[in-house]
Amino acid sequence: MSTKQIPDFRFSPVVDQVGVEERIARLNTRSIKKQSKTRGLKLALNMIDLTSLEGKDTEGKIRQMCYKALHPHDALPDLPTVAAVCVYPVYVKTAKEALKGSAVKVASVSTAFPSGNAPLNVKIADTKFAIDNGADEIDMVISRGEFLKGNYNFVFDEIATIKALCGPVRLKVIFETGELSSLDNIRRASDIAIYAGADFIKTSTGKIQPAATMPVSLVMLQAIKDYFIKTGKMVGMKPAGGISTSKSALQYLVMLYETLGPAWMTNEWFRFGASSLANDIILQLEKDDKKVYYSGDYIGKD
Amino acid sequence: MQTTQADKIFDWAYAPAPEATDHVHINKKYDLFIDGKFVKPGKGKYTNTISPSTEQLLAQVAEADEKDVDKAVKAAKSAYDKTWKKMPGKEKAKYIFRIARMIQERAREFSVIETMNGGKPIRESRDIDIPLAANHFFYYAGWADKLDYAFPNRKPQPVGVAGQIIPWNFPLLMAAWKIAPALATGNTVVLKPAETTPLTALKLAEIIQESGLPDGVVNIITGAGQTGAALVNHSLINKVAFTGSTEVGKVIQKALAGSNKKLSLELGGKGAHIVFEDAPIDQAVEGIVNGIFFNQGHVCCAGSRLFVQESIADKLIDKLKDRMSSLIVGDPLDKNTDIGAIHSKEQLDKINQYLSVGKKEGAEMYQPSCIIPKKGFYCKPTLFLNASQSHRIVQEEIFGPVLAVQTFRTIEEVIEKANNAPYGLSAGVWTDKGSRIFNLTSQLKAGVVWANTYNKFDPASPFGGYKESGFGREGGLHGLMPYLNL
């Protein structure tokens, strides 16, 4: 079946919130112990997009974060690096230089992040700037206002336009699920973004509460699954914001594993947008290694 | 799962996470709980009770004969006359409330024993069976002093001595469903748990003894069919409550004909689970899985007949098969197990017989490629596709993890098919349209109809059947009625 067949997004599958929450509750009863826990935690660390998206960011701060991305915790051998760093377009160049020669990617937010309330030419310029500076990945936001007005074509076209601009640069599409209000809307937004060419769909900017939640993420994973069944094409997923503990990262991985299966268990197809998660994972791995809990003071906060 | 990319496969088989059993104490031998004491059976006969997941001996349990039953019923009668009948409702409530609290305090021990003796996954006994059993005691404790408000101007009176017989699929929960309303309404009780799963009921007897409930108010006697028959036929019994097979239910009803004993029966079922094309499909799949594979399908209200609207049938069945491939079948004590052990060799044989009947009848069988343990009694979750109303696997209760799938085209057709069964205990409807739900709830002949969910239980909600599924309601205000003269 051709991907050119675009469905009518008004008729995206409906979602029952109570059912989703029950499924999550059941997934969260999975007990991940011993070697499956260690493997899961290392994988989670390797899936992190280490993020700094603050008004007070500086080149110095970004360079420090990049060092952390490459050396999460040198005291522990065999630790993977994180997947990427995620920064504003103006810091792409700095990050790119700091990460030169490594496999860690540089992701840049764009399209007038976080609100997305800018004309298309500004969004295009924003994205171009990031790509020209060497961004490997673009994290764009959708126009939530237009989406809630029911202008699905507008949202679709915007994503398709940015995707065309991206070329080989991977595009993540942020819905800001905390502003979309219902799981039905989140499913619809997922379908729109996927069919418009998103390489990844992403929950949140981290600027709005609630950010990523498991119910929202499950609905998005199910949209990815339906698309895969229909077209054979994989789309990635990135929950962002609010995931700060190892336990919750493992719960997301269980959900991923039991919904999309082992092929998605790689940072090519799944990311955590987080800043403090890395240190909590390190804390847990340290504990498994040394049999004692360290305080946060023993692990670098960059 | 359907994905490929062999070089990148991250096979995340979860490490074993068994629930600890060292904190659990099971006696080598259990006697009969009569008049507040554990007493040896008159004939000194004991039978073995095993774990269906390991086939290991757990304990020996007394077998009550007619004389033991007589002793228990007389103890209940005397407790009724001397103490329980006269005790004010709010005093009775304190005891019931105390039992509820004690079950909660020992919830972990109860859930482990329930899983060891019955084979159900620890996830279910821990999250459903035991908390729900405690909740039933809490709920009915609340009614004990408010019966006049439940039935205004009716002067509700207790019936007397209740003889209660419960099945093996939810051992402690069924004991709670029976004992709690009987006590709250002022009756005394002789309860007989199933011969294969007596351990949590006997643990409950220990709790009841500790709780200081007056001697003889609750008596728990173990044994097989003959013990049950002696209980039902005892002349001092005023009320019989039975949950179990339709076959035995019929025998009991015949035996009670012409007597003035009250009777309530909760028997078999063949629940219709109906999915319309506008349903939230991923949640419907989850509901179907929960409806039929919960407790290995050993559930009288299991959604064992699936009706899918033809326009979404292929899609839904693909999703269902995919979901089934992620179910973990195995050691019920492992916290990650979704489907535990079949309750007994006998039940497994019966299920396997139905599997061959289904194949012979021409339905298409599907089982996921999961690995099941060599020792113990296990059955893979099973679908029968392209089934029709005249198949035996559609008409008869299998009581196992076996789902018969049919398609339908119109709403009239599915109502007719859903009601075209000897049973009428439960049904489920999945649709995004509220008005359709209400249309169906009024037309389906089932005691319980769940909408956009399945297998939801709450002490405040009545449960019971139509037709061959029995009569009388348990739970809620309705659950008080079978134990009262109104």
Side-chain angles (χ1 to χ4, degrees), chain A residues 16 20 22-23 26 30-31 36 39 225-226 257-258 264 268, chain B residues 3 8 11-12 14-15 123 283 319 322-323 336 338 456:
Chain A
D16 185 83
V20 170
E22 274 173 12
R23 177 72 183 122
R26 183 155 171 189
R30 290 287 191 225
S31 177
S36 35
R39 284 186 72 199
K225 178 157 196 160
D226 285 345
Y257 186 67
E258 296 200 19
W264 264 265
E268 202 186 338
Chain B
T3 47
K8 284 204 176 139
D11 177 24
W12 205 23
Y14 304 139
R123 179 182 61 80
Q283 289 73 55
K319 278 175 178 277
D322 182 65
R323 174 69 179 95
N336 291 327
D338 294 309
K456 280 279 159 304

PDB file of all heavy atoms in Angstrom, chain A residues 16 20 22-23 26 30-31 36 39 225-226 257-258 264 268, chain B residues 3 8 11-12 14-15 123 283 319 322-323 336 338 456:
ATOM      1  N   ASP A  16     -10.151   5.142  24.197  1.00  0.00           N
ATOM      2  CA  ASP A  16     -10.869   5.137  25.467  1.00  0.00           C
ATOM      3  C   ASP A  16      -9.868   5.367  26.599  1.00  0.00           C
ATOM      4  O   ASP A  16      -9.001   4.540  26.851  1.00  0.00           O
ATOM      5  CB  ASP A  16     -11.582   3.795  25.659  1.00  0.00           C
ATOM      6  CG  ASP A  16     -12.444   3.789  26.905  1.00  0.00           C
ATOM      7  OD1 ASP A  16     -13.574   4.279  26.827  1.00  0.00           O
ATOM      8  OD2 ASP A  16     -11.980   3.302  27.951  1.00  0.00           O
ATOM      9  N   VAL A  20      -6.966   2.919  28.347  1.00  0.00           N
ATOM     10  CA  VAL A  20      -5.534   3.218  28.230  1.00  0.00           C
ATOM     11  C   VAL A  20      -4.892   3.229  29.613  1.00  0.00           C
ATOM     12  O   VAL A  20      -3.830   2.646  29.831  1.00  0.00           O
ATOM     13  CB  VAL A  20      -5.316   4.566  27.519  1.00  0.00           C
ATOM     14  CG1 VAL A  20      -3.861   5.002  27.608  1.00  0.00           C
ATOM     15  CG2 VAL A  20      -5.750   4.475  26.065  1.00  0.00           C
ATOM     16  N   GLU A  22      -5.837   1.701  32.263  1.00  0.00           N
ATOM     17  CA  GLU A  22      -5.749   0.341  32.803  1.00  0.00           C
ATOM     18  C   GLU A  22      -4.586  -0.434  32.197  1.00  0.00           C
ATOM     19  O   GLU A  22      -3.900  -1.190  32.874  1.00  0.00           O
ATOM     20  CB  GLU A  22      -7.043  -0.422  32.528  1.00  0.00           C
ATOM     21  CG  GLU A  22      -8.065  -0.163  33.588  1.00  0.00           C
ATOM     22  CD  GLU A  22      -9.407  -0.777  33.249  1.00  0.00           C
ATOM     23  OE1 GLU A  22      -9.500  -1.586  32.301  1.00  0.00           O
ATOM     24  OE2 GLU A  22     -10.373  -0.425  33.935  1.00  0.00           O
ATOM     25  N   ARG A  23      -4.400  -0.229  30.900  1.00  0.00           N
ATOM     26  CA  ARG A  23      -3.284  -0.916  30.235  1.00  0.00           C
ATOM     27  C   ARG A  23      -1.958  -0.456  30.837  1.00  0.00           C
ATOM     28  O   ARG A  23      -1.059  -1.259  31.081  1.00  0.00           O
ATOM     29  CB  ARG A  23      -3.326  -0.620  28.732  1.00  0.00           C
ATOM     30  CG  ARG A  23      -2.183  -1.230  27.946  1.00  0.00           C
ATOM     31  CD  ARG A  23      -2.315  -2.736  27.816  1.00  0.00           C
ATOM     32  NE  ARG A  23      -1.183  -3.350  27.126  1.00  0.00           N
ATOM     33  CZ  ARG A  23      -0.411  -4.293  27.666  1.00  0.00           C
ATOM     34  NH1 ARG A  23      -0.658  -4.751  28.868  1.00  0.00           N
ATOM     35  NH2 ARG A  23       0.575  -4.814  26.979  1.00  0.00           N
ATOM     36  N   ARG A  26      -1.361  -1.959  34.163  1.00  0.00           N
ATOM     37  CA  ARG A  26      -0.924  -3.352  34.057  1.00  0.00           C
ATOM     38  C   ARG A  26       0.529  -3.444  33.598  1.00  0.00           C
ATOM     39  O   ARG A  26       1.302  -4.238  34.127  1.00  0.00           O
ATOM     40  CB  ARG A  26      -1.843  -4.093  33.085  1.00  0.00           C
ATOM     41  CG  ARG A  26      -1.480  -5.530  32.993  1.00  0.00           C
ATOM     42  CD  ARG A  26      -2.624  -6.395  32.583  1.00  0.00           C
ATOM     43  NE  ARG A  26      -2.123  -7.733  32.311  1.00  0.00           N
ATOM     44  CZ  ARG A  26      -2.834  -8.684  31.773  1.00  0.00           C
ATOM     45  NH1 ARG A  26      -4.087  -8.471  31.453  1.00  0.00           N
ATOM     46  NH2 ARG A  26      -2.328  -9.874  31.552  1.00  0.00           N
ATOM     47  N   ARG A  30       4.875  -4.884  35.690  1.00  0.00           N
ATOM     48  CA  ARG A  30       6.019  -5.702  35.281  1.00  0.00           C
ATOM     49  C   ARG A  30       7.172  -5.458  36.239  1.00  0.00           C
ATOM     50  O   ARG A  30       7.463  -4.319  36.596  1.00  0.00           O
ATOM     51  CB  ARG A  30       6.461  -5.339  33.862  1.00  0.00           C
ATOM     52  CG  ARG A  30       5.475  -5.770  32.784  1.00  0.00           C
ATOM     53  CD  ARG A  30       5.513  -7.260  32.576  1.00  0.00           C
ATOM     54  NE  ARG A  30       4.789  -7.668  31.387  1.00  0.00           N
ATOM     55  CZ  ARG A  30       3.947  -8.694  31.354  1.00  0.00           C
ATOM     56  NH1 ARG A  30       3.685  -9.393  32.441  1.00  0.00           N
ATOM     57  NH2 ARG A  30       3.368  -9.039  30.235  1.00  0.00           N
ATOM     58  N   SER A  31       7.810  -6.539  36.632  1.00  0.00           N
ATOM     59  CA  SER A  31       8.882  -6.435  37.603  1.00  0.00           C
ATOM     60  C   SER A  31      10.201  -6.690  36.880  1.00  0.00           C
ATOM     61  O   SER A  31      10.470  -7.799  36.446  1.00  0.00           O
ATOM     62  CB  SER A  31       8.623  -7.467  38.702  1.00  0.00           C
ATOM     63  OG  SER A  31       9.647  -7.472  39.627  1.00  0.00           O
ATOM     64  N   SER A  36      18.064  -7.977  33.457  1.00  0.00           N
ATOM     65  CA  SER A  36      17.159  -7.256  32.544  1.00  0.00           C
ATOM     66  C   SER A  36      17.048  -5.793  32.957  1.00  0.00           C
ATOM     67  O   SER A  36      16.843  -4.917  32.124  1.00  0.00           O
ATOM     68  CB  SER A  36      15.785  -7.919  32.444  1.00  0.00           C
ATOM     69  OG  SER A  36      15.367  -8.475  33.647  1.00  0.00           O
ATOM     70  N   ARG A  39      20.445  -4.066  31.722  1.00  0.00           N
ATOM     71  CA  ARG A  39      20.388  -3.860  30.266  1.00  0.00           C
ATOM     72  C   ARG A  39      19.433  -2.737  29.928  1.00  0.00           C
ATOM     73  O   ARG A  39      19.717  -1.900  29.073  1.00  0.00           O
ATOM     74  CB  ARG A  39      19.921  -5.149  29.574  1.00  0.00           C
ATOM     75  CG  ARG A  39      20.977  -6.215  29.478  1.00  0.00           C
ATOM     76  CD  ARG A  39      20.464  -7.388  28.662  1.00  0.00           C
ATOM     77  NE  ARG A  39      20.377  -7.065  27.248  1.00  0.00           N
ATOM     78  CZ  ARG A  39      19.632  -7.758  26.379  1.00  0.00           C
ATOM     79  NH1 ARG A  39      18.892  -8.760  26.796  1.00  0.00           N
ATOM     80  NH2 ARG A  39      19.614  -7.432  25.113  1.00  0.00           N
ATOM     81  N   LYS A 225       2.375   1.974  15.530  1.00  0.00           N
ATOM     82  CA  LYS A 225       2.192   0.562  15.219  1.00  0.00           C
ATOM     83  C   LYS A 225       1.221   0.373  14.046  1.00  0.00           C
ATOM     84  O   LYS A 225       1.484  -0.400  13.129  1.00  0.00           O
ATOM     85  CB  LYS A 225       1.669  -0.169  16.447  1.00  0.00           C
ATOM     86  CG  LYS A 225       1.421  -1.625  16.174  1.00  0.00           C
ATOM     87  CD  LYS A 225       1.463  -2.421  17.428  1.00  0.00           C
ATOM     88  CE  LYS A 225       1.602  -3.884  17.059  1.00  0.00           C
ATOM     89  NZ  LYS A 225       2.106  -4.680  18.136  1.00  0.00           N
ATOM     90  N   ASP A 226       0.100   1.093  14.112  1.00  0.00           N
ATOM     91  CA  ASP A 226      -0.891   0.962  13.032  1.00  0.00           C
ATOM     92  C   ASP A 226      -0.278   1.362  11.691  1.00  0.00           C
ATOM     93  O   ASP A 226      -0.541   0.741  10.662  1.00  0.00           O
ATOM     94  CB  ASP A 226      -2.120   1.826  13.333  1.00  0.00           C
ATOM     95  CG  ASP A 226      -2.999   1.196  14.413  1.00  0.00           C
ATOM     96  OD1 ASP A 226      -2.810  -0.002  14.696  1.00  0.00           O
ATOM     97  OD2 ASP A 226      -3.876   1.885  14.963  1.00  0.00           O
ATOM     98  N   TYR A 257       8.502  -1.994  24.527  1.00  0.00           N
ATOM     99  CA  TYR A 257       8.817  -3.377  24.168  1.00  0.00           C
ATOM    100  C   TYR A 257       7.553  -4.183  23.912  1.00  0.00           C
ATOM    101  O   TYR A 257       7.469  -4.960  22.963  1.00  0.00           O
ATOM    102  CB  TYR A 257       9.625  -4.004  25.302  1.00  0.00           C
ATOM    103  CG  TYR A 257      10.145  -5.392  25.010  1.00  0.00           C
ATOM    104  CD1 TYR A 257      11.107  -5.579  24.041  1.00  0.00           C
ATOM    105  CD2 TYR A 257       9.677  -6.489  25.713  1.00  0.00           C
ATOM    106  CE1 TYR A 257      11.600  -6.844  23.768  1.00  0.00           C
ATOM    107  CE2 TYR A 257      10.166  -7.757  25.443  1.00  0.00           C
ATOM    108  CZ  TYR A 257      11.127  -7.932  24.475  1.00  0.00           C
ATOM    109  OH  TYR A 257      11.609  -9.188  24.199  1.00  0.00           O
ATOM    110  N   GLU A 258       6.555  -3.970  24.756  1.00  0.00           N
ATOM    111  CA  GLU A 258       5.351  -4.791  24.619  1.00  0.00           C
ATOM    112  C   GLU A 258       4.364  -4.209  23.617  1.00  0.00           C
ATOM    113  O   GLU A 258       3.376  -4.857  23.279  1.00  0.00           O
ATOM    114  CB  GLU A 258       4.686  -4.991  26.004  1.00  0.00           C
ATOM    115  CG  GLU A 258       5.609  -5.770  26.929  1.00  0.00           C
ATOM    116  CD  GLU A 258       4.905  -6.429  28.097  1.00  0.00           C
ATOM    117  OE1 GLU A 258       3.671  -6.601  28.046  1.00  0.00           O
ATOM    118  OE2 GLU A 258       5.603  -6.791  29.064  1.00  0.00           O
ATOM    119  N   TRP A 264      12.237  -1.624  17.970  1.00  0.00           N
ATOM    120  CA  TRP A 264      12.233  -0.214  18.381  1.00  0.00           C
ATOM    121  C   TRP A 264      13.147   0.048  19.577  1.00  0.00           C
ATOM    122  O   TRP A 264      13.304   1.170  20.009  1.00  0.00           O
ATOM    123  CB  TRP A 264      10.798   0.215  18.728  1.00  0.00           C
ATOM    124  CG  TRP A 264      10.087   0.889  17.601  1.00  0.00           C
ATOM    125  CD1 TRP A 264       9.979   2.226  17.375  1.00  0.00           C
ATOM    126  CD2 TRP A 264       9.341   0.266  16.538  1.00  0.00           C
ATOM    127  NE1 TRP A 264       9.233   2.477  16.256  1.00  0.00           N
ATOM    128  CE2 TRP A 264       8.828   1.293  15.718  1.00  0.00           C
ATOM    129  CE3 TRP A 264       9.076  -1.063  16.193  1.00  0.00           C
ATOM    130  CZ2 TRP A 264       8.052   1.033  14.589  1.00  0.00           C
ATOM    131  CZ3 TRP A 264       8.305  -1.327  15.079  1.00  0.00           C
ATOM    132  CH2 TRP A 264       7.801  -0.280  14.281  1.00  0.00           C
ATOM    133  N   GLU A 268      17.822   4.674  17.649  1.00  0.00           N
ATOM    134  CA  GLU A 268      17.409   5.098  16.320  1.00  0.00           C
ATOM    135  C   GLU A 268      15.900   5.336  16.278  1.00  0.00           C
ATOM    136  O   GLU A 268      15.396   6.114  15.482  1.00  0.00           O
ATOM    137  CB  GLU A 268      17.802   4.024  15.308  1.00  0.00           C
ATOM    138  CG  GLU A 268      17.912   4.558  13.903  1.00  0.00           C
ATOM    139  CD  GLU A 268      18.169   3.454  12.894  1.00  0.00           C
ATOM    140  OE1 GLU A 268      18.660   2.377  13.283  1.00  0.00           O
ATOM    141  OE2 GLU A 268      17.851   3.673  11.712  1.00  0.00           O
TER     142      GLU A 268
ATOM    143  N   THR B   3       8.062  -7.122  13.881  1.00  0.00           N
ATOM    144  CA  THR B   3       9.163  -6.361  13.334  1.00  0.00           C
ATOM    145  C   THR B   3      10.355  -7.255  13.035  1.00  0.00           C
ATOM    146  O   THR B   3      10.525  -8.307  13.635  1.00  0.00           O
ATOM    147  CB  THR B   3       9.583  -5.290  14.337  1.00  0.00           C
ATOM    148  OG1 THR B   3       9.676  -5.906  15.598  1.00  0.00           O
ATOM    149  CG2 THR B   3       8.583  -4.194  14.387  1.00  0.00           C
ATOM    150  N   LYS B   8      19.476  -5.976  14.970  1.00  0.00           N
ATOM    151  CA  LYS B   8      19.318  -4.997  16.042  1.00  0.00           C
ATOM    152  C   LYS B   8      18.379  -5.485  17.143  1.00  0.00           C
ATOM    153  O   LYS B   8      18.009  -4.724  18.023  1.00  0.00           O
ATOM    154  CB  LYS B   8      18.762  -3.700  15.463  1.00  0.00           C
ATOM    155  CG  LYS B   8      19.819  -2.921  14.730  1.00  0.00           C
ATOM    156  CD  LYS B   8      19.478  -1.459  14.668  1.00  0.00           C
ATOM    157  CE  LYS B   8      20.611  -0.700  14.003  1.00  0.00           C
ATOM    158  NZ  LYS B   8      20.141   0.309  13.097  1.00  0.00           N
ATOM    159  N   ASP B  11      16.429  -8.521  22.557  1.00  0.00           N
ATOM    160  CA  ASP B  11      15.504  -9.479  23.158  1.00  0.00           C
ATOM    161  C   ASP B  11      15.537  -9.293  24.673  1.00  0.00           C
ATOM    162  O   ASP B  11      16.534  -9.583  25.316  1.00  0.00           O
ATOM    163  CB  ASP B  11      15.902 -10.907  22.774  1.00  0.00           C
ATOM    164  CG  ASP B  11      15.002 -11.908  23.460  1.00  0.00           C
ATOM    165  OD1 ASP B  11      13.869 -11.531  23.817  1.00  0.00           O
ATOM    166  OD2 ASP B  11      15.434 -13.055  23.649  1.00  0.00           O
ATOM    167  N   TRP B  12      14.451  -8.786  25.196  1.00  0.00           N
ATOM    168  CA  TRP B  12      14.445  -8.365  26.594  1.00  0.00           C
ATOM    169  C   TRP B  12      13.629  -9.340  27.425  1.00  0.00           C
ATOM    170  O   TRP B  12      12.657  -8.943  28.063  1.00  0.00           O
ATOM    171  CB  TRP B  12      13.866  -6.957  26.681  1.00  0.00           C
ATOM    172  CG  TRP B  12      14.316  -6.188  27.871  1.00  0.00           C
ATOM    173  CD1 TRP B  12      15.436  -6.370  28.610  1.00  0.00           C
ATOM    174  CD2 TRP B  12      13.636  -5.069  28.465  1.00  0.00           C
ATOM    175  NE1 TRP B  12      15.518  -5.439  29.605  1.00  0.00           N
ATOM    176  CE2 TRP B  12      14.423  -4.628  29.543  1.00  0.00           C
ATOM    177  CE3 TRP B  12      12.449  -4.392  28.185  1.00  0.00           C
ATOM    178  CZ2 TRP B  12      14.052  -3.543  30.338  1.00  0.00           C
ATOM    179  CZ3 TRP B  12      12.097  -3.314  28.970  1.00  0.00           C
ATOM    180  CH2 TRP B  12      12.886  -2.889  30.044  1.00  0.00           C
ATOM    181  N   TYR B  14      12.339 -10.900  30.375  1.00  0.00           N
ATOM    182  CA  TYR B  14      12.455 -10.403  31.738  1.00  0.00           C
ATOM    183  C   TYR B  14      13.039 -11.481  32.647  1.00  0.00           C
ATOM    184  O   TYR B  14      12.648 -12.638  32.580  1.00  0.00           O
ATOM    185  CB  TYR B  14      11.076  -9.985  32.273  1.00  0.00           C
ATOM    186  CG  TYR B  14      10.353  -8.972  31.422  1.00  0.00           C
ATOM    187  CD1 TYR B  14       8.984  -9.086  31.189  1.00  0.00           C
ATOM    188  CD2 TYR B  14      11.029  -7.893  30.852  1.00  0.00           C
ATOM    189  CE1 TYR B  14       8.310  -8.149  30.413  1.00  0.00           C
ATOM    190  CE2 TYR B  14      10.361  -6.963  30.081  1.00  0.00           C
ATOM    191  CZ  TYR B  14       9.007  -7.091  29.860  1.00  0.00           C
ATOM    192  OH  TYR B  14       8.350  -6.173  29.084  1.00  0.00           O
ATOM    193  N   ALA B  15      13.979 -11.069  33.481  1.00  0.00           N
ATOM    194  CA  ALA B  15      14.547 -12.017  34.447  1.00  0.00           C
ATOM    195  C   ALA B  15      13.439 -12.485  35.386  1.00  0.00           C
ATOM    196  O   ALA B  15      12.503 -11.735  35.654  1.00  0.00           O
ATOM    197  CB  ALA B  15      15.659 -11.331  35.232  1.00  0.00           C
ATOM    198  N   ARG B 123      -0.096 -11.662  40.212  1.00  0.00           N
ATOM    199  CA  ARG B 123      -0.575 -10.311  39.859  1.00  0.00           C
ATOM    200  C   ARG B 123      -2.076 -10.199  40.116  1.00  0.00           C
ATOM    201  O   ARG B 123      -2.556  -9.194  40.622  1.00  0.00           O
ATOM    202  CB  ARG B 123      -0.276 -10.037  38.380  1.00  0.00           C
ATOM    203  CG  ARG B 123      -0.727  -8.691  37.870  1.00  0.00           C
ATOM    204  CD  ARG B 123      -0.429  -8.543  36.391  1.00  0.00           C
ATOM    205  NE  ARG B 123      -1.120  -9.526  35.580  1.00  0.00           N
ATOM    206  CZ  ARG B 123      -2.400  -9.440  35.216  1.00  0.00           C
ATOM    207  NH1 ARG B 123      -3.116  -8.395  35.574  1.00  0.00           N
ATOM    208  NH2 ARG B 123      -2.974 -10.374  34.500  1.00  0.00           N
ATOM    209  N   GLN B 283      -8.110  -0.518  22.870  1.00  0.00           N
ATOM    210  CA  GLN B 283      -8.611  -0.801  24.216  1.00  0.00           C
ATOM    211  C   GLN B 283      -9.574  -1.991  24.178  1.00  0.00           C
ATOM    212  O   GLN B 283      -9.647  -2.765  25.122  1.00  0.00           O
ATOM    213  CB  GLN B 283      -9.310   0.422  24.807  1.00  0.00           C
ATOM    214  CG  GLN B 283      -8.362   1.554  25.173  1.00  0.00           C
ATOM    215  CD  GLN B 283      -7.817   2.295  23.956  1.00  0.00           C
ATOM    216  OE1 GLN B 283      -8.582   2.777  23.128  1.00  0.00           O
ATOM    217  NE2 GLN B 283      -6.520   2.366  23.821  1.00  0.00           N
ATOM    218  N   LYS B 319      -4.760  -7.608  15.509  1.00  0.00           N
ATOM    219  CA  LYS B 319      -4.286  -6.944  16.721  1.00  0.00           C
ATOM    220  C   LYS B 319      -4.380  -7.882  17.926  1.00  0.00           C
ATOM    221  O   LYS B 319      -3.502  -7.886  18.785  1.00  0.00           O
ATOM    222  CB  LYS B 319      -5.109  -5.670  16.993  1.00  0.00           C
ATOM    223  CG  LYS B 319      -4.654  -4.472  16.187  1.00  0.00           C
ATOM    224  CD  LYS B 319      -5.567  -3.288  16.414  1.00  0.00           C
ATOM    225  CE  LYS B 319      -5.094  -2.059  15.660  1.00  0.00           C
ATOM    226  NZ  LYS B 319      -4.054  -1.294  16.370  1.00  0.00           N
ATOM    227  N   ASP B 322      -1.602 -10.377  17.806  1.00  0.00           N
ATOM    228  CA  ASP B 322      -0.355  -9.719  18.160  1.00  0.00           C
ATOM    229  C   ASP B 322      -0.252  -9.514  19.671  1.00  0.00           C
ATOM    230  O   ASP B 322       0.781  -9.770  20.284  1.00  0.00           O
ATOM    231  CB  ASP B 322      -0.269  -8.376  17.429  1.00  0.00           C
ATOM    232  CG  ASP B 322       1.030  -7.665  17.715  1.00  0.00           C
ATOM    233  OD1 ASP B 322       2.068  -8.205  17.303  1.00  0.00           O
ATOM    234  OD2 ASP B 322       1.010  -6.612  18.366  1.00  0.00           O
ATOM    235  N   ARG B 323      -1.357  -9.087  20.261  1.00  0.00           N
ATOM    236  CA  ARG B 323      -1.359  -8.870  21.713  1.00  0.00           C
ATOM    237  C   ARG B 323      -1.139 -10.187  22.454  1.00  0.00           C
ATOM    238  O   ARG B 323      -0.444 -10.243  23.471  1.00  0.00           O
ATOM    239  CB  ARG B 323      -2.689  -8.231  22.127  1.00  0.00           C
ATOM    240  CG  ARG B 323      -2.881  -8.070  23.628  1.00  0.00           C
ATOM    241  CD  ARG B 323      -1.954  -7.027  24.225  1.00  0.00           C
ATOM    242  NE  ARG B 323      -2.177  -6.882  25.658  1.00  0.00           N
ATOM    243  CZ  ARG B 323      -1.482  -7.512  26.600  1.00  0.00           C
ATOM    244  NH1 ARG B 323      -0.494  -8.326  26.254  1.00  0.00           N
ATOM    245  NH2 ARG B 323      -1.751  -7.334  27.877  1.00  0.00           N
ATOM    246  N   ASN B 336       5.642 -11.345  36.732  1.00  0.00           N
ATOM    247  CA  ASN B 336       5.415 -10.967  35.340  1.00  0.00           C
ATOM    248  C   ASN B 336       4.498 -11.925  34.586  1.00  0.00           C
ATOM    249  O   ASN B 336       4.263 -11.743  33.397  1.00  0.00           O
ATOM    250  CB  ASN B 336       6.754 -10.874  34.605  1.00  0.00           C
ATOM    251  CG  ASN B 336       7.569  -9.697  35.091  1.00  0.00           C
ATOM    252  OD1 ASN B 336       7.003  -8.666  35.455  1.00  0.00           O
ATOM    253  ND2 ASN B 336       8.873  -9.841  35.126  1.00  0.00           N
ATOM    254  N   ASP B 338       1.312 -13.492  33.061  1.00  0.00           N
ATOM    255  CA  ASP B 338      -0.033 -13.037  32.704  1.00  0.00           C
ATOM    256  C   ASP B 338      -1.049 -14.165  32.822  1.00  0.00           C
ATOM    257  O   ASP B 338      -2.187 -13.950  33.194  1.00  0.00           O
ATOM    258  CB  ASP B 338      -0.046 -12.524  31.259  1.00  0.00           C
ATOM    259  CG  ASP B 338       0.793 -11.280  31.101  1.00  0.00           C
ATOM    260  OD1 ASP B 338       0.604 -10.347  31.890  1.00  0.00           O
ATOM    261  OD2 ASP B 338       1.643 -11.243  30.198  1.00  0.00           O
ATOM    262  N   LYS B 456     -15.127  -6.127  35.503  1.00  0.00           N
ATOM    263  CA  LYS B 456     -14.980  -5.140  36.574  1.00  0.00           C
ATOM    264  C   LYS B 456     -15.894  -5.554  37.727  1.00  0.00           C
ATOM    265  O   LYS B 456     -17.079  -5.813  37.517  1.00  0.00           O
ATOM    266  CB  LYS B 456     -15.429  -3.762  36.099  1.00  0.00           C
ATOM    267  CG  LYS B 456     -14.413  -3.036  35.291  1.00  0.00           C
ATOM    268  CD  LYS B 456     -13.390  -2.388  36.191  1.00  0.00           C
ATOM    269  CE  LYS B 456     -12.127  -2.104  35.430  1.00  0.00           C
ATOM    270  NZ  LYS B 456     -11.545  -3.271  34.777  1.00  0.00           N
TER     271      LYS B 456
END
